[in-house]
Amino acid sequence: MLAAREQRRLIIVCVAAFVLSFGIGLTSPVVSLYAQSLGVSTSLVGLYITVFALGRILVTIPAGRAADRWGRRALLGLGPLVIAVAALGQALVPNYGLLLALRLLH
């Protein structure tokens, strides 16, 4: 059995992962409407969705190395902050290029 302290840590990480994933998934149904409001085609909406996966692929190994070097706690604090800034930026962008760049960061 996990100690009570370890259980609390695990619960915090699971809740944080759920909230972040829920926030990302919540926007998916309206992404096409939002991107179209910026005047882009349906294929560029698909690119917007794909860029998120590409960002995850590109960041996975460097993030693991950074966690080993500076500690997981630092990345668990910094990660949600970066995601929040990228999400807020996506909501306020004036053009598709910036939307795509922020999605990659997201």
Side-chain angles (χ1 to χ4, degrees), residues 33-57:
L33 296 174
Y34 182 57
Q36 287 174 348
S37 75
L38 293 173
V40 299
S41 68
T42 305
S43 60
L44 289 180
V45 172
L47 179 61
Y48 173 83
I49 300 293
T50 303
V51 161
F52 179 77
L54 179 63
R56 298 267 321 239
I57 291 168

Side-chain angles (χ1 to χ4, degrees), residues 5-29:
R5 186 175 185 185
E6 290 175 353
Q7 284 180 338
R8 281 193 303 265
R9 287 180 182 169
L10 181 60
I11 289 170
I12 290 169
V13 169
C14 288
V15 168
F18 173 79
V19 169
L20 292 172
S21 296
F22 185 74
I24 292 166
L26 188 66
T27 60
S28 294

